[in-house]
């Protein structure tokens, strides 16, 4: 090769090297080099061929972490399953319509939580996947009968109970000590304490005021304490008439008029941070907050006593707790049901972790209760175990119309202008009219 040709060859090679180097270093706007685009194979999505189940949870902090942990545990044992835990606000969960609307629009979850107050509504809407055939005789025997009754509509079981939660009255011990008053045992004592402890910055008593399923749950035990109810025992008549139920509306209307209730709390009333932050002197809340008081607010002077009762009334609280259900509308309803049964009807260690470590609640399963006995009499838990447990009445499965009537009466009690007698009589009339129409 002549010198001229060699020189030309070198020039061409040099230009080619420079061109390739330039190509290799050129970066697209998204940060990916052309070299990578040309030489790397497309990444493989590890979840591409897996069945994805969406679990909606309104829980926060440690409780939300539990469901994420549980999802990972299940995925480790079931390689074809991916469980996506998604947070939904408590307002949406406690609303009477928002969760139902998600299913109506085709955007509902595969797995979600229901309560006795909502389960019948979801069954009527054909949303819940029956779990009856998934329960073995041994499983049924391990659940307390009342727990299974709370998730049974007709002849079918539609959810798995995960907890039994009771209401009590939490109070700020330091505020009470400074005023020299004892925690209340009666309604009258509760009103006196609220008057003594209310200031421009501290409310006397916090109880649910937001319209939703938790509103009725919070107020039903106070109605029951008077000896009254919404329906007669056979469910065919109104039990709201008479002096007993009027006592509820009269007493708490008086508290509202005196400005003793926390009408617009700074956060959801299920959050014990309301009293722990000094916003209120007393708060009606439940066992689910004990674990938070033991950890996040361990230094706060918070105590708990049974719900105060009216003069001549009997100690009474309500037993509630969420249940886990599968959507019948889900493309993978059967897989969702398998997850629920694995998590909550199988190995007692999982529900025990939920009711004793993650939070504090009583288990609806005999085997789990037996394993957790040593933890039920520690600190504030002992008050619930020794003084409140055993006075509970199960949250009832009521027709949605009855729930709505009671809820409307409470909203009128809290924010309306009608007298206590007018509120009671209107609610009683509405219940009777509904029952008459239902019989036609």
């Amino acid at each position: 090769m002549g010198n001229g040709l060699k020189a030309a060859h070198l020039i061409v090679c040099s230009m080619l090297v420079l061109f390739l180097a330039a190509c290799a270093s050129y970066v697209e706007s998204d940060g990916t080099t052309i070299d990578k685009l040309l030489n790397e194979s497309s990444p493989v999505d590890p979840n591409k061929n897996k069945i994805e189940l969406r679990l909606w949870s309104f829980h926060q902090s440690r409780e939300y972490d539990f469901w994420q942990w549980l999802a990972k545990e299940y995925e480790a044992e079931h390689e074809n399953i991916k469980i996506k835990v998604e947070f939904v606000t408590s307002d949406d969960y406690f609303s009477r319509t928002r969760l139902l609307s998600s299913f109506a629009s085709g955007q509902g979850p595969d797995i979600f939580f229901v309560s006795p107050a909502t389960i019948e509504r979801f069954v009527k809407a054909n949303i819940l996947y029956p779990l009856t055939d998934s329960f073995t005789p041994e499983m049924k025997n391990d659940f307390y009968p009342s727990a299974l009754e709370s998730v049974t509509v007709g002849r079918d079981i539609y959810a798995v109970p995960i907890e039994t939660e009771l209401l009590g009255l939490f109070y700020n011990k330091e505020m009470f000590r400074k005023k020299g008053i004892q925690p209340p045992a009666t309604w009258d004592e509760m009103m006196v304490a609220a008057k003594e402890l209310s200031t421009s910055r501290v409310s006397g008593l916090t109880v649910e005021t937001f319209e939703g399923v938790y509103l009725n749950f919070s107020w039903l035990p106070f109605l029951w304490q008077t000896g009254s109810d919404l329906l007669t025992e056979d469910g065919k008549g109104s039990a709201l008439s008479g002096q007993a139920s009027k006592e509820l509306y009269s007493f708490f209307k008086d508290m509202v008029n005196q400005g003793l209730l926390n009408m617009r709390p700074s956060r959801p009333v299920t959050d014990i941070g309301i009293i722990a932050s000094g916003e209120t002197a007393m708060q009606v809340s439940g066992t689910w907050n004990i674990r938070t008081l033991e950890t996040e607010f361990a230094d706060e002077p918070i105590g708990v006593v049974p719900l105060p009762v009216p003069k001549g009334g009997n100690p009474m609280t309500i037993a509630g707790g969420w249940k886990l259900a599968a959507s019948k509308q889900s493309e993978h309803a059967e897989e969702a049901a398998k997850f629920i049964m694995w998590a909550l009807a199988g190995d007692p260690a999982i529900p025990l972790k939920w009711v004793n470590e993650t939070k504090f609640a009583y288990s609806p399963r005999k085997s789990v209760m037996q394993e957790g006995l040593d933890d039920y009499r520690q600190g504030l838990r002992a008050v619930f175990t020794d003084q409140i447990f055993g006075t509970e009445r199960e949250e009832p499965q009521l027709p949605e119309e009855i729930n709505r009537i009671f809820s409307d009466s409470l909203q009128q009690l809290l924010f309306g202008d009608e007298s206590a007698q007018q509120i009671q009589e209107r609610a009683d009339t509405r219940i009777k009219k509904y029952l008459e129409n239902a019989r036609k």
Side-chain angles (χ1 to χ4, degrees):
M1 182 181 297
N3 291 335
L5 288 174
K6 287 182 178 180
H9 180 73
L10 289 170
I11 291 171
V12 171
C13 288
S14 298
M15 292 177 64
L16 183 59
V17 169
L18 291 171
F19 173 75
L20 291 173
C23 288
S25 62
Y26 178 73
V27 179
E28 292 282 12
S29 61
D30 66 356
T32 303
T33 64
I34 290 177
D35 181 65
K36 289 183 178 180
L37 291 174
L38 293 175
N39 297 307
E40 289 188 1
S41 59
S42 300
V44 177
D45 183 357
N47 298 318
K48 184 177 181 181
N49 297 317
K50 292 186 177 184
I51 294 173
E52 182 176 273
L53 302 175
R54 296 165 60 225
L55 187 160
W56 279 10
S57 171
F58 58 87
H59 301 94
Q60 299 184 52
S61 304
R62 186 170 46 257
E63 294 178 16
Y64 186 75
D65 292 342
F66 171 86
W67 297 109
Q68 290 185 309
W69 165 82
L70 191 60
K72 297 299 181 186
E73 290 290 307
Y74 192 73
E75 291 170 357
E77 294 185 22
H78 303 78
E79 295 182 354
N80 66 320
I81 302 293
K82 169 67 178 176
I83 299 178
K84 187 177 182 182
V85 181
E86 300 174 336
F87 175 75
V88 178
T89 67
S90 58
D91 285 353
D92 285 332
Y93 251 100
F94 298 158
S95 166
R96 298 181 182 279
T97 58
R98 293 178 193 172
L99 197 56
L100 278 169
S101 298
S102 71
F103 290 104
S105 65
Q107 301 299 313
D110 304 284
I111 305 164
F112 64 108
F113 297 88
V114 295
S115 69
T118 60
I119 190 169
E120 186 174 310
R121 200 170 355 135
F122 283 112
V123 170
K124 286 184 177 179
N126 201 31
I127 290 172
L128 297 186
Y129 183 82
L131 302 175
T132 314
D133 294 339
S134 299
F135 276 86
T136 65
E138 292 76 19
M139 287 178 179
K140 287 183 178 180
N141 187 58
D142 192 34
F143 281 86
Y144 291 104
S146 59
L148 285 184
E149 287 172 11
S150 71
V151 292
T152 300
V153 178
R155 296 183 177 181
D156 281 314
I157 300 172
Y158 285 98
V160 177
I162 67 173
E163 61 203 4
T164 298
E165 297 180 317
L166 310 177
L167 286 182
L169 181 73
F170 292 84
Y171 67 101
N172 187 302
K173 294 190 289 186
E174 186 63 16
M175 291 183 186
F176 275 74
R177 185 191 65 79
K178 287 182 177 180
K179 288 290 185 176
I181 51 180
Q182 297 296 314
T186 67
W187 285 10
D188 289 340
E189 290 173 358
M190 182 170 63
M191 179 180 287
V192 170
K195 289 178 181 179
E196 288 286 329
L197 299 170
S198 292
T199 69
S200 60
R201 302 177 64 179
V202 178
S203 69
L205 174 66
T206 296
V207 62
E208 182 62 89
T209 58
F210 177 79
E211 187 174 8
V213 296
Y214 188 60
L215 179 69
N216 287 11
F217 182 81
S218 300
W219 287 85
L220 272 173
F222 292 113
L223 176 65
W224 295 337
Q225 288 173 358
T226 67
S228 187
D229 206 339
L230 297 175
L231 296 177
T232 55
E233 191 171 345
D234 60 7
K236 296 180 179 180
S238 171
L240 203 58
S241 58
Q243 184 61 34
S245 62
K246 183 182 175 183
E247 187 176 3
L248 168 79
Y249 294 107
S250 297
F251 178 84
F252 284 99
K253 191 69 172 179
D254 194 11
M255 289 198 74
V256 171
N257 291 339
Q258 294 185 63
L260 302 178
L261 295 189
N262 188 0
M263 302 303 291
R264 290 177 173 82
S266 62
R267 61 190 86 188
V269 174
T270 52
D271 189 339
I272 201 65
I274 294 175
I275 191 169
S277 66
E279 180 181 324
T280 189
M282 295 176 285
Q283 181 175 349
V284 174
S285 196
T287 48
W288 61 87
N289 276 315
I290 293 293
R291 189 74 176 120
T292 303
L293 289 172
E294 292 171 341
T295 54
E296 296 178 35
F297 302 117
D299 296 331
E300 299 301 325
I302 308 301
V304 65
V305 292
L307 293 178
V309 298
K311 186 177 181 179
N314 296 315
M316 181 80 70
T317 190
I318 189 169
W322 291 93
K323 336 289 179 185
L324 201 56
S327 169
K328 191 176 182 180
Q329 298 180 359
S330 168
E331 183 182 354
H332 307 293
E334 188 174 342
E335 292 298 336
K338 288 179 181 178
F339 165 75
I340 293 171
M341 298 303 295
W342 170 87
L344 300 165
D347 184 359
I350 294 175
L352 184 63
K353 181 179 177 68
W354 173 249
V355 298
N356 268 13
E357 295 179 29
T358 306
K359 62 185 298 182
F360 170 62
Y362 297 95
S363 176
R365 290 177 56 183
K366 302 169 188 175
S367 60
V368 180
M369 283 287 284
Q370 187 63 38
E371 289 195 26
L373 281 178
D374 292 342
D375 295 313
Y376 294 150
R377 286 191 168 87
Q378 297 179 6
L380 296 180
R381 301 179 183 206
V383 178
F384 276 98
T385 300
D386 295 333
Q387 300 181 44
I388 301 175
F389 188 79
T391 68
E392 72 274 8
R393 179 173 163 185
E394 288 288 331
E395 181 181 8
Q397 281 186 18
L398 294 170
E400 173 56 18
E401 292 81 358
I402 300 298
N403 284 323
R404 169 64 68 182
I405 291 169
F406 186 49
S407 177
D408 287 347
S409 75
L410 294 173
Q411 288 294 291
Q412 186 59 230
L413 163 68
L414 294 164
F415 301 107
D417 298 325
E418 291 184 343
S419 68
Q421 183 171 338
Q422 289 173 320
I423 297 170
Q424 177 218 21
E425 290 176 351
R426 181 189 296 272
D428 180 47
T429 299
R430 288 180 62 187
I431 291 175
K432 290 175 179 175
K433 185 175 180 180
Y434 162 76
L435 293 172
E436 289 174 5
N437 292 334
R439 285 192 290 267
K440 292 179 180 178

